[in-house]
Amino acid sequence: MKRLARVGLVFGVLALGGTGVGCADKENEAAKQHRIKASNHMAKKEYKEAAEAYALSLQADPKQEKVWEKKAFAHIELGEIDKASEAVLKLLEFKTTPAEKAEIYRTLASIYMKGGTLDDAEKYFNEALKLEPKDEASLGWIAEIYAQRGGARSMAAPIVKADLEKSLSYYDQVIAINPNSANTYLNKRVVMGRLMEYERQQMEMAKSEAVENAKDPKVVEEANARAAEHLKQMEAYNSQFADMTKKFSEAQKATKAQAANQK
């Protein structure tokens, strides 16, 4: 995910008070020396040693926002997701606006997405949404999280209907904000495809149940009724799938036209 590359965004400086000048000078010098060592390790891709040196620099001077960012990056490279998250969370202390804080939460969510920890990723995307309720990126990624949970990204994965339906609800929120989001229509179509497959599977199971219990009219009637209902739902999803295909095409044309007008 591209947002991981944005850990080094420009942030405000947190001013710390109550520190004597002499002590501050000593701390800053120590911070500088450890920071230089860390930079040398980073240049050699010695991320473990870099993270340790950054930690020492921050002990001497915790107000170095760029060092927190670089420490987070070193931990990401080491696969130490929780330590990276701790470093990124420190950056909230430097933020003053909701937009800046939301960006930090999106960065945190991105780290967890990369690490495959979907629960934590969803948690931080939701934190971003508390600050920016119409954040298209966060809504889209939460939709993706539920798509993955529902089995939309792997034909071998079990299909979880409730998660797929929740994914659709988030994609609909994205579309409400940006009706020309072609990728959203494409992603929503994938989820609908899996929902159609779910209904097909359930229909076949109901038909098999009817055949296996041919001597029991009541069971046959109930099973056939379920099969008919699943067929009806499958046809409804199929209709929506076709509509998404049409809207995807329209959104692509709108995006190309907008790009051409900007030239």
Side-chain angles (χ1 to χ4, degrees):
M1 186 173 176
K2 297 297 182 183
R3 283 193 180 274
L4 286 172
R6 301 181 63 186
V7 172
L9 290 172
V10 177
F11 297 103
V13 176
L14 176 65
L16 298 179
T19 304
V21 174
C23 180
D25 288 343
K26 291 178 182 178
E27 288 181 344
N28 288 338
E29 182 59 31
K32 179 181 177 181
Q33 293 303 317
H34 288 302
R35 188 173 63 246
I36 291 171
K37 289 180 182 179
S39 296
N40 291 334
H41 286 305
M42 285 287 278
K44 299 174 184 177
K45 297 185 178 181
E46 296 170 349
Y47 299 116
K48 182 177 184 297
E49 293 81 359
E52 291 170 352
Y54 281 135
L56 291 172
S57 181
L58 288 164
Q59 283 180 14
D61 181 7
K63 66 182 181 182
Q64 303 175 88
E65 71 269 30
K66 292 296 181 185
V67 177
W68 284 113
E69 293 165 10
K70 292 175 181 178
K71 186 174 186 290
F73 179 80
H75 286 305
I76 289 170
E77 293 299 306
L78 290 167
E80 297 173 345
I81 303 302
D82 288 339
K83 289 182 179 180
S85 175
E86 289 173 7
V88 174
L89 275 171
K90 291 294 293 184
L91 297 173
L92 285 171
E93 298 175 8
F94 301 85
K95 303 296 137 215
T96 58
T97 69
E100 290 173 335
K101 291 179 180 181
E103 183 64 25
I104 292 298
Y105 285 126
R106 283 191 293 270
T107 298
L108 278 167
S110 300
I111 290 172
Y112 282 110
M113 283 294 291
K114 182 180 180 182
T117 312
L118 299 185
D119 288 347
D120 286 317
E122 181 185 5
K123 169 186 167 183
Y124 287 117
F125 280 129
N126 275 317
E127 289 297 325
L129 286 170
K130 289 177 184 177
L131 296 165
E132 293 186 322
K134 293 186 178 182
D135 175 21
E136 183 182 339
S138 292
L139 289 167
W141 277 114
I142 294 176
E144 170 62 20
I145 288 170
Y146 279 99
Q148 289 187 28
R149 287 174 177 162
R153 297 306 180 189
S154 172
M155 298 302 290
I159 300 174
V160 184
K161 184 179 182 181
D163 286 334
L164 294 180
E165 289 178 334
K166 196 158 187 177
S167 176
L168 291 183
S169 72
Y170 277 102
Y171 282 133
D172 284 340
Q173 292 181 62
V174 175
I175 291 169
I177 296 168
N178 182 8
N180 292 327
S181 177
N183 284 337
T184 303
Y185 292 116
L186 185 62
N187 289 328
K188 187 175 178 181
R189 192 173 64 171
V190 171
V191 172
M192 284 184 173
R194 290 299 274 167
L195 281 168
M196 280 191 285
E197 174 60 17
Y198 172 83
E199 297 298 340
R200 186 197 67 78
Q201 291 176 3
Q202 296 299 310
M203 180 183 68
E204 293 301 328
M205 288 171 61
K207 286 182 177 180
S208 295
E209 184 180 345
V211 171
E212 291 169 3
N213 295 274
K215 294 182 180 180
D216 189 331
K218 184 176 180 180
V219 172
V220 171
E221 182 181 1
E222 290 177 350
N224 283 334
R226 289 201 310 275
E229 187 59 33
H230 287 302
L231 175 61
K232 180 181 178 181
Q233 187 61 62
M234 186 171 66
E235 290 173 342
Y237 282 132
N238 187 50
S239 176
Q240 293 177 55
F241 186 92
D243 185 51
M244 285 302 103
T245 301
K246 179 182 177 182
K247 288 182 177 179
F248 170 67
S249 178
E250 291 172 348
Q252 279 190 313
K253 291 178 181 177
T255 300
K256 288 180 181 178
Q258 184 179 10
N261 290 333
Q262 291 175 348
K263 289 182 179 180

